Amino acid sequence: MAVATAPSLNRHFLRRPFSGVKKRRPWLLPGGANLFDSRRNRDSHLLVFASSPSPNSRPAESCVNTGLDLFNRGRVKDALVQFETALTLDPNPIESQAAYYNKACCHAYRGEGNKAADCLRVALRDYNLKFATILNDPDLASFRALPEFKQLQEEARLGGEDIGDSFRRDLKLISEVRAPFRGFRKFFYFAFSAAAGISTLFTIPRLIQAVRGGDGAPDLLETTGNAAINIGGIVVLVALFIWENKKEEEQMVQITRDETLSRLPLRLSTNRVVELVQLRDTVRPVILAGKKETVALAMQKADGFRTELLRRGVLLVPVVWGERKTPEVEKKRGFGASSKTAATSLPSIGEDFDTRTQSVVAQSKLKSEIRFKSEVVSPGEWERWIRDQQIAEGVVPGEDVYIILRLDGRVRRSGKGMPDWAEISKELPPMDDVLSKLER
């Protein structure tokens, strides 16, 4: 259970009361420009106090640690009581952040989306919780499959006072990486419009003097031309500045959609549930969304090109309109399982993909589980994302569509109807091709 952190702390709670901290790695790196990078330190996932609180521990701190111990043993209801008690014992900001965040994890485990969202809002607004923690914690995977998470994410994207603006700053960082000269252009437009405005201030008195005429009056035609150039320049530059802001906002909306997509859960052929982010650099998911008969026919035709599509890392993701089921995601690893089982199992949802793939064994296990077809978990959330994507692309929501993702998780292309597998086999490079390496 990833507990809440104070600003820039690597560990949420430390064995020694809030000392000896390390810096967290940033959630979004300038070189990545990609929200599918769930980079974070492996040891930042969970480190709590010893189960026996220190005699010098503060009361609130002791309650939080006791709650963490109870949560790890599967006693979620009792853990929730401890976190609520901690909030009544005059906690300091770090303790309050931890109590609210872990309380949200308990509510998420119990399927109480509204209560989880309320706790996270308080932690974000009042105790500087980083939104990246919510995005990467496996204990909140079930919450991320709920509409309440999407609402919270949208509030964070808009940067409202209610939940802080750290998520929006992260989005701006990625937006700047994807459009590296936008900031320079906006500065250029602002600087030159300001210069044109200053010039206009000097031109207007000369224009008035030219209109009045008389001895020493400037030439009316020349002065009018100068004023027109300055005013026209201001109008054009301001319009370009507004247009750049609009494009930036649209790009941030798309980045948020990409992030939402990366958190949608899939069930692999081995019955293991993963979030799409965990498959980054490993497969090219092809989402087939439409009526049951249409999707089934497309899946059947794909079997005829199975060998070629597998060489290109294609993983079929069928989404049938209207097949809404109760959200079901993988439970927290370790609940009711021995330490041996937890140690030998593959990393759980949301764990750092890059760190995980450094292990050859873990990587080979994951690849062996990824076959040709998968099954969506929480179809309602998949359907909601696809409909949002259709609206963004100007397609009537509910039409049959296919969406091909890149190896880095972003949308490669999409189209109406079902895909032409022969064309896709020619378009997509094999996984060992240089173009595939550049796509990662």
Side-chain angles (χ1 to χ4, degrees):
M1 183 179 190
V3 297
T5 64
S8 75
L9 297 186
N10 179 45
R11 291 170 179 164
H12 306 298
F13 266 88
L14 310 173
R15 288 189 189 278
R16 297 175 183 172
F18 321 116
S19 64
V21 298
K22 293 164 57 180
K23 293 291 184 179
R24 282 181 63 98
R25 292 178 63 188
W27 164 56
L28 302 172
L29 302 179
N34 183 350
L35 277 164
F36 281 68
D37 288 332
S38 297
R39 296 188 174 92
R40 57 185 189 142
N41 289 336
R42 182 180 293 273
D43 64 353
S44 71
H45 175 57
L46 171 63
L47 183 61
V48 300
F49 292 97
S51 56
S52 299
S54 168
N56 298 324
S57 298
R58 290 168 49 86
E61 175 189 314
S62 298
C63 284
V64 170
N65 293 325
T66 302
L68 288 169
D69 183 60
L70 291 169
F71 187 91
N72 287 329
R73 288 189 279 141
R75 297 171 57 184
V76 180
K77 184 177 180 180
D78 294 335
L80 188 57
V81 172
Q82 291 295 321
F83 298 136
E84 290 173 344
T85 302
L87 293 171
T88 66
L89 298 175
D90 190 27
N92 62 32
I94 296 178
E95 294 164 346
S96 298
Q97 186 195 68
Y100 275 111
Y101 182 82
N102 289 300
K103 186 181 174 187
C105 289
C106 290
H107 287 307
Y109 190 87
R110 290 156 60 95
E112 299 167 345
N114 284 326
K115 292 182 179 180
D118 290 341
C119 291
L120 292 173
R121 280 192 182 90
V122 174
L124 287 163
R125 179 189 64 217
D126 299 334
Y127 301 108
N128 202 29
L129 175 69
K130 301 303 180 184
F131 204 89
T133 307
I134 301 172
L135 291 171
N136 291 313
D137 190 353
D139 291 318
L140 290 177
S142 58
F143 174 70
R144 291 194 294 268
L146 298 176
E148 288 83 355
F149 168 71
K150 183 178 180 182
Q151 180 181 352
L152 187 71
Q153 186 183 48
E154 182 64 13
E155 292 174 22
R157 183 186 68 80
L158 296 175
E161 293 182 0
D162 287 346
I163 59 173
D165 59 356
S166 62
F167 183 56
R168 185 173 177 84
R169 287 199 304 269
D170 291 333
L171 291 177
K172 277 184 171 292
L173 175 62
I174 293 182
S175 178
E176 289 170 4
V177 172
R178 291 190 181 180
F181 298 107
R182 175 176 288 138
F184 174 78
R185 291 196 299 269
K186 289 172 68 174
F187 174 78
F188 173 85
Y189 299 148
F190 176 80
F192 275 80
S193 58
I198 294 173
S199 178
T200 302
L201 291 177
F202 287 101
T203 304
I204 288 177
R206 289 175 56 83
L207 179 61
I208 295 174
Q209 187 178 359
V211 170
R212 288 177 177 176
D215 295 337
D219 182 73
L220 178 61
L221 185 59
E222 180 183 353
T223 307
T224 303
N226 291 337
I229 291 173
N230 288 332
I231 294 173
I234 293 173
V235 171
V236 172
L237 291 168
V238 169
L240 288 172
F241 186 86
I242 294 173
W243 181 80
E244 286 286 1
N245 278 339
K246 182 180 178 181
K247 296 298 292 184
E248 183 180 37
E249 198 65 31
E250 290 175 354
Q251 190 175 50
M252 290 171 65
V253 171
Q254 180 61 53
I255 293 170
T256 305
R257 264 201 310 274
D258 290 345
E259 169 60 27
T260 302
L261 173 64
S262 75
R263 301 298 164 181
L264 293 177
L266 280 176
R267 190 185 306 281
L268 302 179
S269 58
T270 55
N271 208 37
R272 188 164 74 97
V273 176
V274 298
E275 288 179 338
L276 202 57
V277 64
Q278 290 180 262
L279 305 181
R280 184 180 66 86
D281 293 348
T282 308
V283 296
R284 290 187 176 98
V286 177
I287 302 169
L288 307 172
K291 297 183 289 294
K292 187 174 183 178
E293 299 78 11
T294 308
V295 172
L297 181 59
M299 298 278 286
Q300 182 180 352
K301 289 182 177 179
D303 279 329
F305 298 87
R306 186 187 185 98
T307 302
E308 288 301 316
L309 293 176
L310 282 173
R311 285 187 62 226
R312 287 153 177 79
V314 169
L315 176 69
L316 302 182
V317 183
V319 180
V320 177
W321 297 135
E323 282 198 354
R324 295 174 179 267
K325 302 176 184 177
T326 303
E328 179 184 356
V329 294
E330 190 175 36
K331 294 296 184 182
K332 181 183 183 295
R333 189 183 69 197
F335 271 44
S338 66
S339 57
K340 181 179 179 182
T341 303
T344 56
S345 61
L346 283 173
S348 58
I349 291 173
E351 194 163 338
D352 182 355
F353 185 91
D354 290 336
T355 302
R356 173 167 51 80
T357 52
Q358 290 176 5
S359 167
V360 176
V361 176
Q363 187 178 35
S364 62
K365 284 184 178 180
L366 179 61
K367 287 185 177 180
S368 68
E369 291 189 63
I370 300 171
R371 309 287 169 78
F372 188 48
K373 301 175 184 178
S374 62
E375 176 188 354
V376 298
V377 180
S378 304
E381 293 306 306
W382 278 89
E383 186 174 327
R384 185 178 293 109
W385 181 88
I386 294 170
R387 290 180 184 275
D388 288 344
Q389 186 71 14
Q390 287 178 319
I391 293 173
E393 297 292 336
V395 177
V396 177
E399 285 194 22
D400 297 341
V401 294
Y402 67 91
I403 302 170
I404 303 174
L405 304 184
R406 294 158 44 101
L407 287 172
D408 63 10
R410 289 184 286 169
V411 175
R412 182 187 182 97
R413 73 177 177 89
S414 58
K416 295 182 181 180
M418 292 294 109
D420 183 336
W421 298 115
E423 179 184 339
I424 289 178
S425 298
K426 296 177 181 178
E427 173 189 339
L428 299 178
M431 291 295 288
D432 56 357
D433 192 272
V434 175
L435 294 177
S436 293
K437 295 178 180 178
L438 293 174
E439 192 175 299
R440 288 181 169 89

